[in-house]
Structure formats: C-alpha cells, structure tokens
Amino acid sequence: AQTVTQSQPEMSVQEAETVTLSCTYDTSENNYYLFWYKQPPSRQMILVIRQEAYKQQNATENRFSVNFQKAAKSFSLKISDSQLGDTAMYFCAFFPLNDYKLSFGAGTTVTVRA
Amino acid sequence: GAVVSQHPSRVICKSGTSVKIECRSLDFQATTMFWYRQFPKQSLMLMATSNEGSKATYEQGVEKDKFLINHASLTLSTLTVTSAHPEDSSFYICSARTGVNEKLLFGSGTQLSVL
C-alpha cells in the first residue's frame, strides 16, 4: 500500500512571497504519477501540477513548480508570487499505474495574507 | 471540454431514508469512476472504484450494502447511501479517468446531511 505524508498542516505566507509545501511518499512501484491538487473553499478539486515518475525534469506550471526527488521519494510544491486566490487546502497525491487508485496526503492549508 | 457533473450539490435527508448521488462525464467516456468521502478539514478517502458494466470494488472498511454504486453506462455512475444515518453525513466526491495522459477529473461534490 502507498502512503503519502504531508507534514505541514498549515502554512501562512505574505502576498507576493514564496511558500514551499512538503510531501513524501512510500511505494515499491516504479511507474506512477504524482499530483498536487488545490481545494479552495468551494471544495472543487483543482489540479495544480503533475509529475510523471519517469521524467527527471521537474514540472512547472506558471507560478507553481515542484522539486521531485525520486530516490528520496519527495515531491515538494513551490508557490511563487503568492496571490490571495491561492488560499486553499493543498493535497499531494500518488497515482500508481498498476491499479490507478489515487492516494492523498492529509493536506496543507495555505493562507495568503494581504 | 471534458467535465464531470455531480448532482445534487447538497442534500438534507431524514435518518433511515436513501439518497442517490449522480456523476456524469460530459464530452468523454469514463470507463472508471472513483468515489471519495471527505470529512471537514480532512483528506479524501477512497471509498470504491467503479468500472462500467461490472461490480464496484470497495475499499477495506466500506460497507458495500450501505453504499451502493452503479456504473451502468460510460457516462453515468451513481452512489446510493441506503438507510442513511447521521454518521453518514459527509462530503462525497466522484472523479473519473479521462483516458488521456491519466488525467483525472473531479465532480464538484455533494454535501450530505442526515438529520
């Protein structure tokens, strides 16, 4: 079974600053995807960024980037130039390609301060 | 574009009644759908995986007779909470595989409140 650990229950960041969310996972699988999802107060799950395990290059999506360390099983998310609309709960998720079940971490609540 | 439409968004029911939640895939065929449950300020817990035309696979600890899942077509999966009780009150979310680069789409969720 896969486990996903997010050790930071809450993070606060000043608008325009940078915040990094940590995520580690445990698996014996070699083929998988990793995701960061955002859940704002509306509770709609929104995909922020995706990383394929076979790719060494870290994924980036505008202000969002990841630091993927496969050997260390670490997958952190960096939010640059934080905006008020980034306030949400962020979930790290693991998706193995052998059974296609998404496992979520406990989540990190990010609050962006004006 | 491809969207997962989930209804209703909110339902309040009396204890002992059954409630049905629908998830429809729009502009794509969802061969596999997933149902999650989420308590306030907690993570999403996978309840079951449904494949079109076959019985759903339930996660350990999920009562299959309490949470009936039907995936009769490639665009519709339903979750029925039977004989609901207050402890079934929760936020339920569905998601579907689009089959494109393993992209998963989520419904907007259903808040179930059992009185």
Side-chain angles (χ1 to χ4, degrees):
Chain A
Q2 282 77 222
T3 58
V4 180
T5 302
Q6 292 180 248
S7 58
Q8 304 151 311
E10 297 181 357
M11 300 280 283
S12 180
V13 61
Q14 192 73 32
E15 196 175 10
E17 298 294 311
T18 295
V19 64
T20 299
L21 311 182
S22 66
C23 172
T24 58
Y25 58 96
D26 184 26
T27 185
S28 57
E29 299 296 328
N30 199 44
N31 298 314
Y32 53 87
Y33 287 62
L34 292 162
F35 302 95
W36 279 98
Y37 283 93
K38 167 184 177 180
Q39 189 179 41
S42 68
R43 294 194 286 187
Q44 174 70 57
M45 294 292 285
I46 300 167
L47 177 64
V48 174
I49 199 164
R50 183 179 82 168
Q51 176 80 44
E52 292 91 334
Y54 65 86
K55 289 187 178 179
Q56 291 187 334
Q57 187 172 6
N58 289 324
T60 62
E61 285 288 342
N62 301 312
R63 298 181 295 106
F64 299 89
S65 62
V66 297
N67 183 357
F68 173 47
Q69 301 291 327
K70 190 173 183 179
K73 295 179 183 174
S74 171
F75 183 60
S76 63
L77 173 70
K78 184 170 77 173
I79 307 175
S80 303
D81 185 25
S82 297
Q83 300 176 358
L84 296 177
D86 295 334
T87 292
M89 197 160 186
Y90 287 79
F91 294 99
C92 178
F94 175 91
F95 186 72
L97 296 182
N98 65 343
D99 74 357
Y100 300 102
K101 291 182 181 179
L102 199 56
S103 300
F104 288 93
T108 298
T109 299
V110 173
T111 302
V112 181
R113 308 185 309 273
Chain B
V3 170
V4 173
S5 176
Q6 184 173 346
H7 293 281
S9 58
R10 181 178 296 273
V11 58
I12 301 171
C13 69
K14 291 183 179 180
S15 186
T17 61
S18 294
V19 173
K20 180 184 283 188
I21 301 169
E22 290 190 350
C23 268
R24 293 182 182 273
S25 60
L26 304 179
D27 286 345
F28 75 100
Q29 293 183 331
T31 55
T32 304
M33 282 195 173
F34 305 92
W35 288 93
Y36 299 86
R37 184 174 184 176
Q38 185 181 30
F39 291 107
K41 297 188 178 182
Q42 293 189 24
S43 187
L44 281 72
M45 299 302 298
L46 180 65
M47 298 175 65
T49 303
S50 73
N51 291 297
E52 184 267 336
S54 61
K55 290 185 177 181
T57 303
Y58 291 82
E59 295 300 303
Q60 193 173 8
V62 177
E63 300 176 59
K64 61 180 68 177
D65 294 331
K66 158 71 77 176
F67 301 100
L68 299 179
I69 292 171
N70 184 281
H71 194 162
S73 78
L74 287 171
T75 59
L76 175 65
S77 178
T78 61
L79 167 67
T80 301
V81 183
T82 62
S83 186
H85 288 93
E87 58 265 30
D88 298 325
S89 298
S90 186
F91 190 64
Y92 294 88
I93 310 175
C94 65
S95 74
R97 288 180 62 199
T98 63
V100 178
N101 294 328
E102 300 309 335
K103 186 175 182 179
L104 296 171
L105 294 178
F106 284 82
S108 53
T110 298
Q111 178 63 51
L112 171 63
S113 299
V114 185
L115 305 178

